[in-house]
Amino acid sequence: MPGPGTFGPSSLPASPRCWKLHIVRQLQQRDRRQKTMFLDLVEAYHRLLEKSDLLAHFTEKLPPELPNDPVHLPSGEEEARPVPDSCPSARGLQEEMGGGLARSSWSCGEMAYQVVEKNRALSAQDGLLEEQRGRLAALEARARELEEMRQWLAQRVAGQQDRITEGKEAYDTLRAHASHQQGALRQLEEEGRELVERLVRVKMQAAEDQNYRNERIDRVKQARLSKELKKAVKKTVNITETIDPPAIPEPPPRKQDLLEVEACEKRWKRPFRSASATSMTLTRCMDVMKGLLDFRKRRGHSVSGLPEARYPSIPVRGVSCLPARAQDVQEAHHSEVNAVCFSSNSSLLATGGADRLIHLWNVVGGLLEADQTLEGAGGSVTSLEFEPSGCFLLAATYNKAAQLWKVGESQSKETLSGHTDKVTAAKFKLTRQQAVTGSRDRTVKEWDLNKASCSRTIDGLSYCNDVVCGDHLIISGHNDQKIRFWDSRVPRCIQVIPVEGKVTSLSISSDQLHLLSCSRDDTLKVIDLRANNIRQVFRADGFKCGSDWTKAVFRPLLPPSLSGSR
């Protein structure tokens, strides 16, 4: 602990600004204490001088000293003479003076030491004071910076609150406007529904009137054809095998016939309003023409000189009729439906759309029942095909890949990646162990599904829209108006069939003898795969191949017949 004349850190005040005043106060107290001690020392010294003078006076009154007395020392170096034992008071006074001088000397030394220690402590305190002043200045500067930052943040908070208030007012305004617009939209929707209902009623009435007129025209035409047939039965036609009969000029058409034909043409060119009337007319016309042809063959017994090539007959329909109404309608996708495919037994239907979803539907009694939704396609689904067993589904997507799904599982089993552009078609080969894909990167790839790897890449030379597969045959349709044939065992194209428009789709018959193609020249073509030539071309008024993804397919589970296009 520090002594009565010292001070330590524990005695310092808490505030640095009062340290100097406190130190000055401590120094003043020390000066007062030392001054008091020095005054006491001076007083004791004066008493000693007085006692010394008294002792000198007593000494003068003593008898002369003996010869053996010590020699007098020079002035300033003279020691105290021994006092004879006969003067006890002088001896006591001398001892008292010696003790006082010793105590004074010890007190002066101690006080000098304390003065040195105090000076050293004062220097240390001055250094500590300067350090604390520097820290205080730094803290004051930091406090000023923090105060400025606080003021800046307060200004920002005030600005943000103003903007929030403005945004809230704008939001309230927009909300009120949106409510008003929703009310107006609901009113417009109601008006639109009323207009649609009125239009439907008008169209239905117009359709009924048109059907009535068509029935009348059909009855007139049927009566006229019956008359002509009766006249033709009464006539005899002779045909010889060696001499060709002279060409008999046809009589000029009557004006009434021209008007009737023109009316029929107008009726066929306009949208179909009644499936029953149209089907009845087509059926009667075909029966009449068939009777005429059979009659001529029986009567003439014509024989051709050259044998004709024998082909399996392909049922032909000159014009197909749109159904009168949809058998079932389902809200399947949130966006466009790009691909539709039936399983081999037609009990399961798969649909794929631009919403990257694949829906599976059970076909029960001509109606669709939702079965499963397959998620995880990386892009719009462009093509779907079931494996022949119906257990696996292959999908082509716009994310430059094709995906293999197992029916009943929600996650894809394999992803076939390797194309550098959108995949437009993906088809199984004869078994699920192999598949073929076509892409906009002008390549056709063969895949080993067991390894999920590409086994062969074919340079298709043009944008590939669709592919189909046979035993060892791959057929691809391209944008350059060509159908190319590839053999899996040969590294080159073995056959090219040109058409008059971009090929949009290909479909192979169940017996793999015929190929159906759809192209942008608004025609469907049947190709005989044994002779690799176009067998038949189908056209119809009103049929348009309106896009590069229009599809035409053979109807499954029935003799090959055209199912239609989308």
Side-chain angles (χ1 to χ4, degrees):
M1 293 179 61
T6 62
F7 56 91
S10 60
S11 64
L12 295 176
S15 176
R17 297 181 179 180
C18 298
W19 286 353
K20 186 173 181 179
L21 296 176
H22 182 71
I23 291 172
V24 170
R25 202 175 293 117
Q26 292 287 336
L27 290 175
Q28 290 176 354
Q29 292 177 2
R30 186 194 65 181
D31 291 341
R32 285 194 293 270
R33 286 194 297 270
Q34 290 181 358
K35 182 178 180 181
T36 304
M37 294 175 64
F38 276 112
L39 292 175
D40 294 340
L41 181 61
V42 170
E43 186 177 356
Y45 180 70
H46 287 304
R47 286 198 301 270
L48 287 176
L49 289 179
E50 291 176 358
K51 289 179 181 181
S52 178
D53 292 340
L54 181 60
L55 182 58
H57 179 69
F58 286 138
T59 303
E60 289 178 356
K61 293 180 179 182
L62 288 177
E65 295 180 359
L66 296 178
N68 56 357
D69 289 340
V71 181
H72 291 281
L73 295 174
S75 177
E77 298 179 1
E78 184 178 10
E79 296 180 359
R81 296 179 182 178
V83 180
D85 295 335
S86 60
C87 189
S89 60
R91 185 176 295 277
L93 181 60
Q94 186 176 5
E95 292 177 358
E96 184 179 356
M97 292 178 63
L101 289 173
R103 287 192 299 271
S104 298
S105 177
W106 178 82
S107 179
C108 289
E110 184 180 0
M111 292 178 66
Y113 177 74
Q114 289 183 1
V115 168
V116 173
E117 290 296 328
K118 295 296 183 181
N119 288 331
R120 187 180 300 170
L122 183 61
S123 300
Q125 292 297 330
D126 289 339
L128 183 61
L129 180 61
E130 292 296 331
E131 182 180 356
Q132 293 295 333
R133 286 177 178 175
R135 291 181 59 187
L136 180 62
L139 291 174
E140 289 178 351
R142 179 62 178 167
R144 287 193 296 271
E145 292 178 359
L146 292 176
E147 180 65 21
E148 293 176 358
M149 184 176 293
R150 186 193 66 79
Q151 294 177 358
W152 179 70
L153 291 175
Q155 293 177 359
R156 287 194 60 186
V157 168
Q160 291 291 343
Q161 289 178 351
D162 294 340
R163 284 192 289 271
I164 290 172
T165 304
E166 294 176 359
K168 187 176 180 181
E169 293 176 356
Y171 171 75
D172 294 337
T173 303
L174 289 175
R175 187 173 180 180
H177 183 67
S179 300
H180 177 70
Q181 292 294 331
Q182 287 178 356
L185 178 62
R186 285 193 294 269
Q187 184 178 359
L188 290 175
E189 288 177 350
E190 292 176 358
E191 294 177 357
R193 282 194 293 271
E194 293 177 359
L195 291 175
V196 169
E197 292 175 358
R198 190 184 307 170
L199 179 62
V200 168
R201 289 194 296 269
V202 171
K203 291 293 184 180
M204 290 178 63
Q205 184 63 36
E208 292 176 359
D209 296 342
Q210 185 64 34
N211 288 337
Y212 177 73
R213 289 193 293 269
N214 290 342
E215 290 176 359
R216 291 185 60 186
I217 293 173
D218 290 339
R219 286 195 295 269
V220 171
K221 187 175 181 179
Q222 184 67 27
R224 188 178 70 254
L225 288 175
S226 299
K227 280 181 170 185
E228 292 178 355
L229 288 175
K230 289 179 182 179
K231 291 180 181 179
V233 169
K234 295 179 182 180
K235 294 182 181 179
T236 302
V237 179
N238 296 322
I239 301 176
T240 61
E241 298 180 3
T242 57
I243 302 174
D244 294 335
I248 300 175
E250 295 183 358
R254 296 179 300 171
K255 184 176 181 181
Q256 182 179 1
D257 294 339
L258 292 177
L259 292 176
E260 290 180 356
V261 170
E262 184 178 359
C264 290
E265 290 179 352
K266 289 181 180 179
R267 178 166 54 87
W268 288 118
K269 289 182 180 180
R270 70 186 305 275
F272 292 99
R273 295 299 182 185
S274 173
S276 60
T278 305
S279 301
M280 185 186 303
T281 304
L282 284 174
T283 304
R284 290 174 181 174
C285 290
M286 294 299 293
D287 292 342
V288 171
M289 295 303 296
K290 184 176 180 181
L292 287 173
L293 293 175
D294 292 343
F295 170 76
R296 290 175 182 177
K297 286 183 179 179
R298 284 198 308 269
R299 295 297 301 271
H301 303 286
S302 60
V303 178
S304 174
L306 296 176
E308 296 181 355
R310 299 291 181 180
Y311 292 100
S313 62
I314 300 178
V316 177
R317 294 178 66 183
V319 179
S320 63
C321 302
L322 293 176
R325 61 182 180 85
Q327 192 168 357
D328 190 14
V329 178
Q330 296 288 339
E331 293 292 337
H333 295 269
H334 302 295
S335 186
E336 296 87 356
V337 178
N338 295 334
V340 178
C341 180
F342 279 98
S343 61
S344 57
N345 57 3
S346 298
S347 63
L348 193 63
L349 175 69
T351 62
D355 57 357
R356 304 183 181 185
L357 297 178
I358 299 173
H359 291 288
L360 300 182
W361 309 82
N362 290 321
V363 183
V364 180
L367 301 177
L368 298 179
E369 296 180 356
D371 179 41
Q372 187 182 2
T373 299
L374 306 179
E375 300 179 355
S380 299
V381 179
T382 58
S383 173
L384 293 172
E385 187 182 56
F386 280 99
E387 191 231 354
S389 65
C391 297
F392 293 90
L393 179 67
L394 189 62
T397 61
Y398 269 11
N399 67 334
K400 307 177 185 179
Q403 290 180 287
L404 179 66
W405 308 78
K406 185 175 181 180
V407 177
E409 297 181 0
S410 59
Q411 298 294 328
S412 63
K413 293 181 65 66
E414 302 290 349
T415 299
L416 309 179
S417 301
H419 286 286
T420 59
D421 207 338
K422 299 175 182 178
V423 179
T424 55
K427 301 294 176 65
F428 284 104
K429 296 190 80 173
L430 290 181
T431 60
R432 65 167 291 270
Q433 281 75 27
Q434 290 181 325
V436 178
T437 58
S439 172
R440 297 181 67 174
D441 61 2
R442 303 186 178 188
T443 62
V444 177
K445 291 182 180 288
E446 295 184 60
W447 301 86
D448 185 349
L449 298 181
N450 289 329
K451 301 178 181 178
S453 62
C454 178
S455 59
R456 181 187 179 191
T457 299
I458 301 172
D459 185 5
L461 304 176
S462 178
Y463 174 103
C464 179
N465 281 323
D466 203 359
V467 295
V468 292
C469 305
D471 292 335
H472 298 287
L473 190 65
I474 300 173
I475 308 172
S476 57
H478 298 268
N479 253 23
D480 60 354
Q481 304 180 8
K482 293 179 182 178
I483 301 174
R484 291 180 171 85
F485 293 75
W486 314 85
D487 194 329
S488 299
R489 301 162 294 183
V490 179
R492 59 183 178 83
C493 180
I494 60 175
Q495 179 76 23
V496 177
I497 296 179
V499 294
E500 297 178 358
K502 298 178 182 179
V503 181
T504 63
S505 72
L506 299 173
S507 177
I508 193 168
S509 62
S510 58
D511 57 6
Q512 298 189 3
L513 297 179
H514 298 91
L515 177 70
L516 175 66
S517 71
C518 178
S519 54
R520 292 300 298 272
D521 60 349
D522 301 331
T523 61
L524 304 178
K525 300 176 180 63
V526 176
I527 299 173
D528 190 339
L529 296 180
R530 293 169 298 181
N532 286 345
N533 58 6
I534 299 175
R535 180 76 184 281
Q536 286 178 315
V537 179
F538 296 93
R539 293 183 177 87
D541 294 336
F543 172 74
K544 297 292 182 182
C545 181
S547 65
D548 290 346
W549 51 86
T550 302
K551 304 295 182 183
V553 297
F554 286 111
R555 184 164 56 183
L557 296 179
L558 291 173
S561 60
L562 298 179
S563 174
S565 64
R566 70 170 178 85

